[in-house]
């Protein structure tokens, strides 16, 4: 169950065909467990892959054209709410979308966009498919889980462009980062109970995900990234946090890189401070609100470009002027941070946290998504309403993640020792579809 800024709770199922057509299903819910459906969108169009992205290394740029978008409501309440959005935010082009007093009809498909009639009522939903303008396919191998089996199985994950954290910006934002990946219906991570449920669903029968017990927020121990993370504005990094629940202090290591494999380090930031007692979020069900104060930080430049930048910074703005060298850590607390890297000390951030267990009963920690514009959630009104990629608790990390939790500057390799993450081949995406499905 995905959480988008807003918050919005949804699941997605996308089909790509060899003739470049696609059919995308988005299922929206009232709840963060994706068990109480609100409405479904069925989106049809055409996708054309272009060239490797000049902005986000490892990604492929694409053009898309929407042919039509339909909506199916799953309750009278959902129909009334969407109708009110449309009536408030759209003009003549959507007049008569849902006449006043019209009753809900189960299974009825209402058109919200048509290229033929030039009808477009999607703005009221905050809907755009700009995520299709940036794509990346990752392939790796997962060890077989059964003790009596050896070897590994192919896993394919499709990364699509990120959604802007500001609702007002999302309609025209062109992605430079990614959402959490979609799993291939044929070659997905195992076990994945939700994969089959979602892939078999349609707009009239939305997926209802299995019930999961809510976990109390117990913020303690060490947590690490499970993969090389990509953030908007072309940032590649891995994260490592330690929380001390007894005295509410924390430490964080942010390893930054210049490449999407996280193999070319640029600089590392170590930060520490304390955090408040968490309270349940009133805005994002299932989340916990905390405030984190950063009081100390140290920086280690890892390449010559960063060394030159830091040595060229204004005296007194980032450590001891002119004294930076590669691989040598320097405390930036005395200069109240580092202006060149956008670090300000002391600094308070208003955060959103959530803990879960995955299908292998490993503990996951979700931390609030960073603002797309690169700013900081430094006031309560800027508190996130969605999450970054999860961190995994070190004690629960399996051999699959050993390349990352070793905290060395290495990337994932496949079963043959080759780098598994490559720019998306233009032809390959078109053949990951379930081609036996009918275009309807």
């Amino acid at each position: 169950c995905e959480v988008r800024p807003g918050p919005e709770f949804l699941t997605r199922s996308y089909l790509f065909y060899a003739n470049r057509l696609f059919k995308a299903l988005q299922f929206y819910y009232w709840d963060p467990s994706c068990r109480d459906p609100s409405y479904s969108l069925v989106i049809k169009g055409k996708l054309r892959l272009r060239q490797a992205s000049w902005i986000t290394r490892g990604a492929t740029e694409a053009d898309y054209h929407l042919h039509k978008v339909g909506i199916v409501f799953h309750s009278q309440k959902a129909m009334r709410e969407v109708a009110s959005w449309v009536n408030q935010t759209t003009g003549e082009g959507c007049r008569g979308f849902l006449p006043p007093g019209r009753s809900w009809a189960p299974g009825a498909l209402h058109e919200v966009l048509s290229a033929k009639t030039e009808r477009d009522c999607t703005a009221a939903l905050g809907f755009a498919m700009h995520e299709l303008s940036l794509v990346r396919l990752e392939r790796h191998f997962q060890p077989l889980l059964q003790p009596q089996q050896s070897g590994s199985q192919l896993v394919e994950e499709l990364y699509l462009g990120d959604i802007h954290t500001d609702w007002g910006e999302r309609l025209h934002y062109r992605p430079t980062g990614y959402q959490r990946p979609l799993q291939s219906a044929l070659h997905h991570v195992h076990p994945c109970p939700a994969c089959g449920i979602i892939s078999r669903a349609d707009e009239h029968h939305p997926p209802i995900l299995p019930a999961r017990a809510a976990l109390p927020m117990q913020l303690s121990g060490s947590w690490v990234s499970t993969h090389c993370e990509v953030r908007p504005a072309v940032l590649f990094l891995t994260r490592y946090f330690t929380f001390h629940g007894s005295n509410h202090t924390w430490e964080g290591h942010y390893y930054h890189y210049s490449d999407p494999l996280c193999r070319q380090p640029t600089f590392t930031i170590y930060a520490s401070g304390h955090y408040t007692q968490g309270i349940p979020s009133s805005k994002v069900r299932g989340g916990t609100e905390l405030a984190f104060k950063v009081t100390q930080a140290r920086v280690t430049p890892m390449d010559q470009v960063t060394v030159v930048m830091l040595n060229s910074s204004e005296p007194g703005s980032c450590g001891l002027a002119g004294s930076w060298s590669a691989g040598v850590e320097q405390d930036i607390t005395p200069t109240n941070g580092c202006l060149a890297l956008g670090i300000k000390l002391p600094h308070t951030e208003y955060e959103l946290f959530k803990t879960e267990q995955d299908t292998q009963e490993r503990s996951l920690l979700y931390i609030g998504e960073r603002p797309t514009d690169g700013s900081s959630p430094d006031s309560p009104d800027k508190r996130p309403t969605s999450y970054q990629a999860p961190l995994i608790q070190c004690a629960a990390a399996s051999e699959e993640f050993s390349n990352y939790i070793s905290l060395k500057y290495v990337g994932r390799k496949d079963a043959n020792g080759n780098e598994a993450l490559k720019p998306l081949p233009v032809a390959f995406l078109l053949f990951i579809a379930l081609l036996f499905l009918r275009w309807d």
Side-chain angles (χ1 to χ4, degrees):
C1 188
E2 301 179 62
V3 183
R4 282 186 174 179
E8 289 180 328
F9 309 113
L10 76 157
T11 57
R12 296 178 290 157
S13 177
Y14 293 2
L15 298 172
F16 300 92
Y17 298 86
N19 58 1
R20 296 182 180 174
L21 294 175
F22 70 86
K23 178 180 179 180
L25 295 172
Q26 295 182 350
F27 308 99
Y28 291 82
Y29 303 80
W30 298 107
D31 67 301
S33 300
C34 290
R35 293 183 52 79
D36 185 9
S38 170
Y39 64 87
S40 300
L41 295 179
V42 54
I43 306 129
K44 296 181 180 181
K46 196 163 192 175
L47 180 72
R48 181 174 69 90
L49 297 174
R50 294 168 57 202
Q51 71 279 336
S53 173
W54 288 88
I55 300 174
T56 306
R57 290 179 59 188
T60 297
E61 295 179 357
D63 292 326
Y64 72 93
H65 178 69
L66 297 182
H67 295 159
K68 54 185 176 180
V69 178
I71 187 169
V72 176
F73 301 106
H74 303 303
S75 67
Q76 185 75 40
K77 175 186 174 184
M79 184 175 180
R80 285 197 306 267
E81 183 165 293
V82 171
S84 69
W85 296 344
V86 173
N87 292 337
Q88 290 172 17
T89 60
T90 55
E92 292 295 325
C94 280
R95 187 172 294 280
F97 164 62
L98 285 174
R102 182 170 180 175
S103 62
W104 168 59
L109 180 68
H110 305 275
E111 187 179 82
V112 292
L113 180 147
S114 171
K116 286 185 177 180
T117 63
E118 298 184 349
R119 178 187 184 91
D120 187 356
C121 308
T122 57
L125 302 173
F127 169 83
M129 286 299 286
H130 299 326
E131 61 192 274
L132 292 178
S133 63
L134 193 73
V135 296
R136 176 183 179 125
L137 182 70
E138 293 192 0
R139 308 175 72 195
H140 60 90
F141 291 86
Q142 177 189 21
L144 295 175
L145 299 177
Q146 282 68 27
Q148 67 273 20
Q149 293 180 313
S150 60
S152 58
Q153 57 197 5
L154 175 65
V155 172
E156 292 179 339
E157 297 176 315
L158 180 64
Y159 287 79
L160 298 177
D162 62 303
I163 308 299
H164 203 289
T165 53
D166 184 339
W167 184 279
E169 298 290 331
R170 63 195 292 180
L171 295 183
H172 53 80
Y173 169 66
R174 293 294 170 170
T176 55
Y178 303 115
Q179 299 173 69
R180 292 190 65 193
L182 296 172
Q183 300 285 323
S184 165
L186 299 178
H187 304 291
H188 54 75
V189 169
H190 288 273
C192 181
C195 291
I197 297 172
I198 297 171
S199 65
R200 289 189 296 268
D202 60 40
E203 59 268 32
H204 304 293
H205 307 90
I208 308 298
L209 299 190
R212 302 178 70 174
L215 294 181
M217 173 57 68
Q218 296 177 336
L219 200 54
S220 62
S222 296
W223 306 77
V224 291
S225 298
T226 63
H227 64 282
C228 185
E229 300 174 6
V230 182
R231 288 185 183 170
V234 200
L235 291 176
F236 307 105
L237 76 159
T238 57
R239 297 172 291 152
Y240 171 56
F241 290 101
T242 300
F243 301 97
H244 306 282
S246 57
N247 58 6
H248 282 208
T249 60
W250 69 278
E251 303 169 78
H253 295 80
Y254 304 81
Y255 299 89
H256 289 257
Y257 307 82
S258 62
D259 70 297
L261 290 170
C262 287
R263 296 181 64 85
Q264 300 167 16
T266 52
F267 62 93
T268 296
I269 299 172
Y270 166 83
S272 63
H274 55 269
Y275 59 93
T276 62
Q277 181 74 36
I279 60 171
S281 172
S282 58
K283 194 168 186 179
V284 186
R285 286 170 54 192
T288 300
E289 296 181 352
L290 304 101
F292 275 75
K293 188 160 188 177
V294 188
T295 55
Q296 299 181 50
R298 303 193 293 266
V299 171
T300 307
M302 301 298 294
D303 68 350
Q304 203 55 39
V305 173
T306 306
V307 169
V308 171
M309 177 188 70
L310 295 178
N311 280 330
S312 302
S313 59
E314 183 180 343
S317 69
C318 186
L320 189 59
S323 66
W324 294 93
S325 58
V328 179
E329 185 179 69
Q330 188 171 152
D331 191 354
I332 58 171
T333 308
T335 54
N336 297 320
C338 179
L339 186 62
L341 296 177
I343 303 171
K344 179 183 177 182
L345 296 175
H347 179 67
T348 299
E349 296 193 343
Y350 295 84
E351 269 295 359
L352 180 72
F353 274 51
K354 178 179 69 169
T355 53
E356 281 186 358
Q357 280 192 330
D358 66 9
T359 54
Q360 298 179 47
E361 298 187 352
R362 297 173 301 193
S363 296
L364 303 177
L365 175 65
Y366 292 82
I367 300 178
E369 189 171 2
R370 308 298 297 179
T372 306
D373 63 8
S375 64
S376 171
D378 53 7
S379 61
D381 62 301
K382 295 178 69 175
R383 191 187 301 274
T385 56
S386 57
Y387 301 98
Q388 301 176 54
L391 304 173
I392 191 168
Q393 193 164 30
C394 288
S398 69
E399 189 66 27
E400 179 185 357
F401 301 109
S402 61
N403 282 342
Y404 300 109
I405 65 173
S406 64
L407 301 182
K408 296 177 181 177
Y409 296 97
V410 295
R412 189 194 297 269
K413 295 185 178 183
D414 64 20
N416 299 317
N418 301 315
E419 291 181 0
L421 317 184
K422 297 182 172 66
L424 181 66
V426 170
F428 193 80
L429 177 61
L430 301 177
F431 292 97
I432 67 172
L434 305 180
L435 296 178
F436 55 85
L437 288 174
R438 173 172 58 92
W439 175 259
D440 53 3

